[in-house]
């Protein structure tokens, strides 16, 4: 209906000014952009459902070539508004709802009990993780749309800058900040005290350089020990231990009883929860996978656990987070 040569009722071309006629794309598995879109979209859905990611492009290419997608056929009788008056007329009946269709749709939905074991993980956009397919999807989707409308495509670096809202910094400022950071890192490596460290404030436009003494991080008490936000428990046991061994380690090494354990936003253990006995013999990595319904990243070797503990008298004790190694390949 809206072909490239369409003339409106007023006698002017419909596709004029900022409006460009789109052209349909036919899927080609040999086109890196086409295949990249399928790989990125499929892996994003897989991450939602806790399914392991697939990075092998050759494997995906082989699978998609066997998929038969029905040819798109435009629905007949659909009226598309081309003028403001047409849009106003079509919107007058937009509030009408087909009650019978709603009932049929609701009847087809599974019950809440049937979905009780399902867990979905929302995708939170992260531009700096090249293994999560976020930028890959944005690059593929935006460039495919650009091809539809014959718009200049953008490479991965440019797309990442736009999607991630990356603001280029002036080279001189960046170099000054990097230099000051390196000076402080050298002091840390030389084990200098906090009195020899400095906070730096720089404004090259004035110009202004200011330095101040940092304050020590607040100290927390854990039985007879003290710790700050810079401390943590590192647990590298040489193997992936069970939940029971994890709890026993805390009791023997630190005199603390773990009452709650969380990984990210998932509560993986609570002393008052259900199914505690069944989970005691699970490896820590299996425990996280089972409850969070997510898989670790391919190169991930550590989990970070937040721990709630009690001392021998049952009093709450603030402790640092735990960095636990579960993979040793």
């Amino acid at each position: 209906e809206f072909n490239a040569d369409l003339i409106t009722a007023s006698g002017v071309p419909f596709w004029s000014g900022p409006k460009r006629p789109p052209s349909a794309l036919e899927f080609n598995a040999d086109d890196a952009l086409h295949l990249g879109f399928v790989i990125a979209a499929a892996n994003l859905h897989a991450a939602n459902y806790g399914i392991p990611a697939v990075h092998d492009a050759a494997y995906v290419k082989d699978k998609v070539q066997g998929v038969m997608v029905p040819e798109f056929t435009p629905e007949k009788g659909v009226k598309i508004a081309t003028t403001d008056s047409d849009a106003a007329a079509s919107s007058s009946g937009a509030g009408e709802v087909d009650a019978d269709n709603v009932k049929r749709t609701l009847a087809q939905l599974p019950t809440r009990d049937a979905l009780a074991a399902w867990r979905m993980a929302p995708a939170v956009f992260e531009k700096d993780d090249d293994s999560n397919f976020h930028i890959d999807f944005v690059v593929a989707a935006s460039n495919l749309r650009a091809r539809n409308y014959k718009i200049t495509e953008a490479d991965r670096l440019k797309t990442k800058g736009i999607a991630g809202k990356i603001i280029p910094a002036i080279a001189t400022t960046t170099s000054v900040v990097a230099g000051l950071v390196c000076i402080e890192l050298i002091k840390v490596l030389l084990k200098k005290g906090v009195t020899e460290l400095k906070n730096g404030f720089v404004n090259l436009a004035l110009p202004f350089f200011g330095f101040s003494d940092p304050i020590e991080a607040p100290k927390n008490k854990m039985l007879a020990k003290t710790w700050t936000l810079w401390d943590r428990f590192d647990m590298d046991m040489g193997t992936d231990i069970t939940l029971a061994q994890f709890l026993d380690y805390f009791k023997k090494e630190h005199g603390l009883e773990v009452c709650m354990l969380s990984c990210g936003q998932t509560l993986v253990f609570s002393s008052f929860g259900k199914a505690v006995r069944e989970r005691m013999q699970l490896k820590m990595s299996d425990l996280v996978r089972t409850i969070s319904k997510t898989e670790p990243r391919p190169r991930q070797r550590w989990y970070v656990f937040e721990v709630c503990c009690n001392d021998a008298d049952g009093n709450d004790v603030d402790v640092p987070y735990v960095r636990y190694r579960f993979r040793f390949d």
Side-chain angles (χ1 to χ4, degrees):
E1 183 181 354
F2 293 90
N3 55 63
D5 300 323
L6 178 65
I7 302 298
T8 65
S10 57
V12 298
F14 177 80
W15 299 108
S16 60
K19 292 189 292 187
R20 300 188 183 195
S23 57
L25 300 177
E26 184 174 346
F27 179 73
N28 179 8
D30 294 322
D31 189 313
L33 191 60
H34 292 200
L35 188 63
F37 175 82
V38 175
I39 294 173
N43 277 290
L44 286 178
H45 278 298
N48 291 143
Y49 291 98
I51 301 171
V54 175
H55 295 260
D56 188 350
Y59 172 83
V60 177
K61 182 179 179 180
D62 179 64
K63 292 297 181 182
V64 298
Q65 287 178 331
V67 177
M68 299 300 295
V69 180
E71 185 177 351
F72 172 73
T73 303
E75 187 176 344
K76 295 182 179 180
V78 177
K79 178 66 176 177
I80 300 176
T82 58
T83 64
D84 292 340
S85 57
D86 290 342
S90 62
S91 64
S92 60
E96 298 177 3
V97 177
D98 187 345
D100 292 335
N101 189 36
V102 171
K103 289 181 180 179
R104 286 194 299 269
T105 303
L106 290 175
Q108 295 172 358
L109 295 176
T111 63
R112 292 182 62 183
D113 292 338
L115 298 175
W118 283 91
R119 293 291 185 274
M120 290 189 68
V124 180
F125 182 67
E126 173 52 63
K127 70 180 187 301
D128 296 320
D129 183 356
D130 290 335
S131 67
N132 62 14
F133 295 97
H134 292 190
I135 290 296
D136 298 276
F137 178 79
V138 175
V139 171
S142 59
N143 281 323
L144 285 174
R145 177 60 65 132
R147 286 189 189 180
N148 286 138
Y149 290 93
K150 297 179 176 59
I151 301 171
T152 304
E153 298 175 25
D155 60 24
R156 180 184 177 85
L157 186 61
K158 184 176 181 181
T159 301
K160 186 174 182 178
I162 297 171
K165 298 180 180 178
I166 300 173
I167 302 173
I170 298 174
T172 49
T173 304
T174 303
S175 61
V176 169
V177 171
L180 292 174
V181 169
C182 287
I183 291 173
E184 298 306 309
L185 283 175
I186 291 171
K187 294 179 185 178
V188 172
L189 292 174
L190 293 175
K191 301 187 183 302
K192 298 294 183 180
V194 69
T195 55
E196 297 188 52
L197 304 179
K198 295 294 180 183
N199 286 327
F201 303 88
V202 179
N203 188 329
L204 297 184
L206 295 178
F208 172 77
F209 292 80
F211 297 92
S212 64
D213 296 328
I215 61 174
E216 291 189 5
K219 294 181 179 179
N220 303 286
K221 288 208 67 175
M222 183 187 71
L223 302 181
K225 302 176 182 178
T226 59
W227 62 277
T228 71
L229 57 83
W230 299 108
D231 294 311
R232 69 187 180 212
F233 289 129
D234 264 340
M235 291 185 63
D236 186 346
M237 312 299 288
T239 185
D240 190 10
I241 62 175
T242 65
L243 173 60
Q245 292 171 319
F246 184 96
L247 302 178
D248 189 56
Y249 171 84
F250 258 78
K251 184 172 289 187
K252 289 181 178 179
E253 293 295 321
H254 305 292
L256 298 170
E257 182 176 350
V258 178
C259 54
M260 292 181 69
L261 187 67
S262 62
C263 182
Q265 297 181 345
T266 304
L267 181 66
V268 296
F269 166 76
S270 63
S271 57
F272 50 83
K274 298 179 181 179
V276 172
R277 291 184 180 179
E278 292 84 346
R279 294 171 180 169
M280 281 296 179
Q281 298 310 314
L282 285 177
K283 301 287 188 182
M284 293 300 291
S285 60
D286 293 333
L287 180 70
V288 175
R289 289 189 185 97
T290 301
I291 300 177
S292 68
K293 304 293 183 183
T294 59
E295 292 289 328
R297 295 187 299 275
R299 297 182 181 180
Q300 182 178 347
R301 289 182 171 83
W302 300 81
Y303 277 128
V304 173
F305 293 109
E306 297 290 342
V307 187
C308 293
C309 295
N310 293 334
D311 60 16
D313 298 325
N315 299 315
D316 292 340
V317 179
D318 290 330
V319 297
Y321 69 88
V322 178
R323 195 174 73 132
Y324 171 82
R325 185 168 185 177
F326 67 93
R327 186 177 281 163
F328 299 87
D329 50 0

